[in-house]
Amino acid sequence: MSDCCAPKSNGRYDLAVIGAGSAGFSAAITAAEQGANVALIGHGTIGGTCVNVGCVPSKTMIRAAEALHGVRAAHRFPGLTGEANVADWGRLVAAKDDLVTTLRQKKYVDLLPQYNGIAYLEGKARLNGQGVAVNGDILPAAKIIIATGSSPALPNIPGIGDVPHLTSTTALGLSALPRSLLVIGGGYIGCELAQMFARAGTEVTLVTRRRLLPEAEPEISKALTGHLRNDGITILTELSYRRIARTDRGVELTVAIDGADEVITVEQVLLTTGRSPNTDGLGLAEAGIRLSGNGGVVVDDRMRTSKPDVYAAGDVTGRDQFVYMAAYGAKLAAQNAMNGDSLVYDNATMPWVTFTDPQVAGVGLTEQAARDAGFETKTSIVSLDQVPRALAARDTRGLIKLVADRKTDRLLGGQILAPEGADSIQTVVLAIKHGMTAKALGETIFPYLTTVEGLKLAAQGFGKDVAKLSCCAG
Ligand SMILES: Cc1cc2nc3c(=O)[nH]c(=O)nc-3n(C[C@H](O)[C@H](O)[C@H](O)COP(=O)(O)OP(=O)(O)OC[C@H]3O[C@@H](n4cnc5c(N)ncnc54)[C@H](O)[C@@H]3O)c2cc1C
């Protein structure tokens, strides 16, 4: 067993954390700060998904593609023209790798020596009685947190096992751009990567069984579909998959749309049909730990699994698969493990973002979800051509939708589709978290010529026609 630090207890740990990704680090640091002796066991590249193959590499590549688009779109201002192309994709990918290496070092590796209470151990861990087995050794531990993350899921398409395919991980590592790419899956990773490759010059087709971002409001999903099509992406929705096969020219996917078969032939295929919790080989069944229908470790609202003293957090739970939720859930799990399970996981005001351009961000209930929950709803939709910031930028792609309770006027949910709109969602998060009414949000002072000012307009839009307002939403 290779380890960076000697165990700080007499052979017994207060806490063993399995998985050294964002959730694992969050749990280990939280417990160590409370004086616990912690074993953090990592397998695979330290830091896990977000820094190595997820958030960081995808967002820097997306930004690069946005830079290309920004220049090409300069002509929307009369008198400007712009041309930008990929000169050396391999160099861009190498720069992305450098960023990943730097952040992994700073935010993960370099942290370990700063916490005396954490012993980092490398190896594939497995539950064993009240402890954890790693590389043949048993680490006794009073409490255990499972934080083993998730991996790209394989969709159920006949023939998929025989077809070479990319995942988000391998797609972000390609040293040359594919000529054509089929993205299977219309969730956030599919939308983000489809647009990134399209802007870089790849001919992209995106297919999905449902619509883009099925969790988003239908108006937002529809508008985003239009904007991605304007980026040159062929988007086929609400279809079913017949089969996929390797051919001389690459890969051929047969889909059925409105009862008719259509064949899509591409050089490469990228699968973005969700992520499966990493539970294989952990000995969960033997330990009596229950899994949910999607393969995630079932936890209660205190992050406890079905086995006493064993907790789970992050992507392995199969829910809220975002890095900040992994860190939040893991912190809570560690605090509960150390202090008697008093803290409750609350995702009611969890924001989510899709880093397309325009970005999509949301929080709270959609109109449909609010109705399903028994609310009598009212909604306000403001298109970005009502927002001075967007008019000044000559970029009015997008809309804002707010949902409120008709009886109390309390805000229940909000979604934003806007260039750089993701930063604005936090205002809705705070509004909902603190029980604000739409009226109160509409009366709040917002700075002029900002995207977030669109929220004030949308809040005012419940009661009046915002097109009739003077400047500054007054
Ligand atoms: C392309 C992409 C883009 C993303 N973009 C964003 C974004 O912009 N914003 C956002 O919030 N989220 C984003 N995410 C999601 C985010 O990366 C994850 O939600 C988050 O990293 C999950 O953290 P985790 O600690 O639960 O799992 P991980 O970070 O995956 O860590 C789990 C670790 O456990 C290890 N492990 C597994 N089994 C064992 C074992 N038996 N023993 C020891 N170790 C083990 C794994 O190798 C891994 O290192 C993105 C994901 C992807 C794939």
Side-chain angles (χ1 to χ4, degrees):
M1 182 189 311
S2 80
D3 59 346
C4 88
C5 325
K8 305 298 184 300
S9 61
N10 295 330
R12 184 173 172 79
Y13 291 95
D14 299 316
L15 176 69
V17 180
I18 306 178
S22 306
F25 265 77
S26 167
I29 288 174
T30 302
E33 280 175 342
Q34 302 200 357
N37 290 317
V38 183
L40 173 62
I41 306 144
H43 172 65
T45 314
I46 192 168
T49 302
C50 184
V51 72
N52 292 305
V53 296
C55 330
V56 173
S58 64
K59 264 78 255 184
T60 189
M61 298 299 282
I62 287 167
R63 264 297 193 233
E66 276 174 26
L68 288 171
H69 175 79
V71 175
R72 291 173 190 153
H75 64 82
R76 68 182 190 271
F77 291 94
L80 301 191
T81 60
E83 210 181 297
N85 292 300
V86 174
D88 188 342
W89 187 253
R91 242 181 106 189
L92 190 63
V93 170
K96 175 265 299 178
D97 291 340
D98 279 351
L99 177 74
V100 165
T101 306
T102 306
L103 285 178
R104 181 173 59 229
Q105 187 69 31
K106 266 194 178 163
K107 294 290 164 196
Y108 294 89
V109 180
D110 288 352
L111 292 188
L112 288 172
Q114 299 182 38
Y115 291 93
N116 283 331
I118 302 176
Y120 179 64
L121 310 153
E122 261 177 34
K124 197 164 173 75
R126 183 184 169 82
L127 297 188
N128 178 290
Q130 269 308 298
V132 173
V134 192
N135 301 334
D137 292 328
I138 308 292
L139 308 178
K143 310 268 176 164
I144 295 168
I145 297 180
I146 302 166
T148 48
S150 64
S151 305
L154 208 59
N156 185 15
I157 304 175
I160 194 80
D162 303 323
V163 169
H165 58 261
L166 299 165
T167 62
S168 57
T169 302
T170 50
L172 288 165
L174 286 175
S175 55
L177 280 168
R179 194 178 37 75
S180 59
L181 180 70
L182 172 65
V183 178
I184 301 183
Y188 83 92
I189 296 177
C191 291
E192 290 177 0
L193 295 185
Q195 189 179 38
M196 187 272 283
F197 278 109
R199 287 180 165 185
T202 296
E203 191 185 310
V204 178
T205 304
L206 190 159
V207 292
T208 176
R209 281 190 238 253
R210 294 194 276 166
R211 54 182 170 89
L212 296 190
L213 305 183
E215 314 305 331
E217 293 282 11
E219 298 87 348
I220 299 250
S221 172
K222 188 169 172 223
L224 177 71
T225 306
H227 299 312
L228 294 186
R229 284 191 173 132
N230 288 341
D231 268 312
I233 303 171
T234 302
I235 299 176
L236 305 173
T237 60
E238 289 171 31
L239 46 75
S240 55
Y241 304 121
R242 289 256 193 257
R243 65 194 154 271
I244 191 163
R246 184 205 288 252
T247 70
D248 294 346
R249 286 172 298 160
V251 177
E252 219 172 67
L253 174 73
T254 308
V255 296
I257 308 177
D258 296 332
D261 280 6
E262 196 169 311
V263 177
I264 303 157
T265 305
V266 287
E267 188 186 296
Q268 300 221 38
V269 175
L270 165 57
L271 302 182
T272 58
T273 45
R275 297 190 50 93
S276 306
N278 293 330
T279 54
D280 280 357
L282 279 170
L284 300 184
E286 298 88 320
I289 292 179
R290 274 205 312 126
L291 299 184
S292 65
N294 70 3
V297 174
V298 174
V299 285
D300 66 8
D301 61 0
R302 320 279 155 136
M303 313 304 291
R304 294 174 294 205
T305 68
S306 49
K307 186 175 166 65
D309 299 326
V310 180
Y311 300 71
D315 280 13
V316 73
T317 62
R319 69 175 184 194
D320 302 343
Q321 290 184 327
F322 299 108
V323 69
Y324 43 93
M325 297 310 283
Y328 162 69
K331 194 180 177 74
L332 215 82
Q335 286 170 327
N336 278 345
M338 296 298 110
N339 302 324
D341 300 327
S342 60
L343 302 174
V344 172
Y345 184 86
D346 178 6
N347 61 1
T349 52
M350 174 190 81
W352 53 266
V353 172
T354 300
F355 289 87
T356 44
D357 170 34
Q359 293 170 348
V360 187
V363 62
L365 301 176
T366 58
E367 182 181 358
Q368 188 59 51
R371 283 211 208 115
D372 292 346
F375 288 101
E376 203 182 309
T377 58
K378 56 178 182 175
T379 61
S380 168
I381 296 182
V382 165
S383 141
L384 247 62
D385 59 13
Q386 298 295 327
V387 179
R389 173 73 181 173
L391 292 169
R394 293 184 183 272
D395 186 358
T396 54
R397 294 171 301 154
L399 61 98
I400 296 173
K401 178 170 179 179
L402 293 178
V403 182
D405 181 349
R406 186 174 286 282
K407 285 190 189 135
T408 63
D409 195 39
R410 256 192 47 225
L411 288 162
L412 299 172
Q415 294 192 6
I416 300 170
L417 172 73
E420 291 301 315
D423 288 328
S424 302
I425 203 65
Q426 206 58 17
T427 300
V428 191
V429 170
L430 293 174
I432 295 176
K433 184 167 177 176
H434 296 289
M436 265 178 115
T437 59
K439 182 168 182 290
L441 184 63
E443 287 170 356
T444 303
I445 297 171
F446 281 73
Y448 183 54
L449 282 184
T450 57
T451 304
V452 74
E453 188 193 21
L455 283 176
K456 181 182 174 97
L457 289 166
Q460 291 177 335
F462 281 106
K464 56 175 110 161
D465 179 358
V466 295
K468 291 186 182 152
L469 294 173
S470 176
C471 119
C472 319

